Amino acid sequence: MHNAAIEALDIDYIYVPFHVMPENLGKAVEGIRALEIAGVNVTIPHKERIIEYLDEASDYSMQIRSVNTVINENGRLRGDTTDGPGFVRSAEAAWGKLDGCRVLILGAGGSAKAVSFALARIGCQVTIANRTRERAVELAEGLKAVFGKGVPEVVGLRVEELADVIRETDMVVNTTSVGMHPDVDGIPLPPDLLYPNLLVYDLVYNPAKTRLVSEAESRGAMAMTGLKMLVYQGAISFEMWTGREAPVDVMEKAAVRALHNKD
Ligand code: NAP
């Protein structure tokens, strides 16, 4: 999707993959400076450990201890993370401003952290529901330590617990891997809890339409899959490197082609 955007804007860049083994991370980062690479994306397992090799990192990426984008400013390497902002920007592009909304987050892993911190930053009230309670508590305490507005509520995935929370919720975000290919019949919450006009954002982007999104739509909720987040986090990185507005539609089409092999 980056190369499609580069082609559409006719600018002199190329986006290529580098396979970096953990023991070579420091040397790879040195290579960014030596080769004068404009910037890189970083993915698992390097998102946290790369921070020690950078000159600086944004407050947000330090809060969640995760960098997915490095920008090379004349040899000075700055880290940032666009996962959470990509989530917020894609949701707001579809549904309007989210400031202050009440959000139920299913899951407490890496993407839950990125999303919950990005939402807390714009004043949303977050509740976390996770299979492993301790992980949810840890995330809630991390949010409180940074935003200091009381510990976000933590609940389990049992129907009674979710039913109480979901009635008082504007948006549900699935950050678990439930429903991801090949578990395409999986759904992270009982579908009968979904209701008209609820916003449902499933971070899973494979299959193209998850069971959660289908069930939500059939009950009159507004729903989307993680493809938009994937595209927008990429678009924000692209803008950081090139200083140009990303052609989001072009990037989305390219992502759909690559993921689902269709136009
Ligand atoms: P992660 O750190 O491994 O966290 C996985 C989460 O899923 C944990 O909360 C885990 O609960 C929960 N989980 C896993 N299997 C479960 C099950 N059978 N029942 C209930 N909960 C279950 O993973 P991640 O990096 O956050 O990624 C999660 C999903 O988000 C993946 O599908 C990934 O593809 C997607 N994602 C999408 C984007 C995007 O741009 N759209 C970006 C990042 C991630 P426990 O704590 O109990 O284990």
Side-chain angles (χ1 to χ4, degrees), residues 41-120:
N41 277 136
V42 184
T43 191
I44 289 168
H46 304 311
K47 282 181 159 185
E48 177 168 3
R49 207 162 66 80
I50 195 165
I51 294 173
E52 67 185 86
Y53 298 106
L54 303 176
D55 296 301
E56 60 179 309
S58 69
D59 289 348
Y60 170 57
S61 58
M62 290 303 282
Q63 284 160 5
I64 65 170
R65 304 288 309 163
S66 177
V67 158
N68 81 336
T69 304
V70 176
I71 306 110
N72 183 357
E73 292 163 340
N74 302 316
R76 192 172 166 75
L77 301 184
R78 182 163 60 83
D80 211 332
T81 177
T82 64
D83 289 326
F87 169 84
V88 170
R89 195 161 133 188
S90 61
E92 290 190 334
W95 297 327
K97 281 281 171 211
L98 295 177
D99 309 47
C101 74
R102 299 160 303 173
V103 187
L104 170 61
I105 295 184
L106 307 173
S111 57
K113 200 169 185 185
V115 167
S116 59
F117 273 73
L119 287 168

Side-chain angles (χ1 to χ4, degrees), residues 107-112 130-132 135 157 175-178 180 203-205 226 229-230:
S111 57
N130 195 43
R131 179 177 62 179
T132 310
R135 267 185 114 184
L157 293 176
T175 75
T176 77
S177 42
V178 178
M180 185 169 79
L203 260 53
V204 176
Y205 51 80
M229 173 174 168
L230 185 70

Side-chain angles (χ1 to χ4, degrees), residues 75-213:
R76 192 172 166 75
L77 301 184
R78 182 163 60 83
D80 211 332
T81 177
T82 64
D83 289 326
F87 169 84
V88 170
R89 195 161 133 188
S90 61
E92 290 190 334
W95 297 327
K97 281 281 171 211
L98 295 177
D99 309 47
C101 74
R102 299 160 303 173
V103 187
L104 170 61
I105 295 184
L106 307 173
S111 57
K113 200 169 185 185
V115 167
S116 59
F117 273 73
L119 287 168
R121 218 156 50 131
I122 56 167
C124 294
Q125 184 191 316
V126 170
T127 299
I128 302 154
N130 195 43
R131 179 177 62 179
T132 310
R133 192 179 166 81
E134 300 78 57
R135 267 185 114 184
V137 169
E138 196 183 317
L139 175 54
E141 282 171 353
L143 284 160
K144 180 182 180 263
V146 170
F147 298 100
K149 290 198 199 133
V151 188
E153 192 180 352
V154 166
V155 295
L157 293 176
R158 286 185 310 123
V159 60
E160 312 83 67
E161 292 178 274
L162 292 175
D164 280 347
V165 174
I166 209 165
R167 272 193 291 271
E168 306 292 321
T169 292
D170 302 305
M171 175 164 67
V172 176
V173 186
N174 175 38
T175 75
T176 77
S177 42
V178 178
M180 185 169 79
H181 183 80
D183 167 38
V184 294
D185 291 327
I187 185 160
L189 86 181
D192 286 344
L193 294 180
L194 302 166
Y195 54 85
N197 298 323
L198 180 69
L199 306 179
V200 177
Y201 200 135
D202 192 348
L203 260 53
V204 176
Y205 51 80
N206 188 13
K209 188 173 267 198
T210 59
R211 179 161 171 228
L212 174 61
V213 167

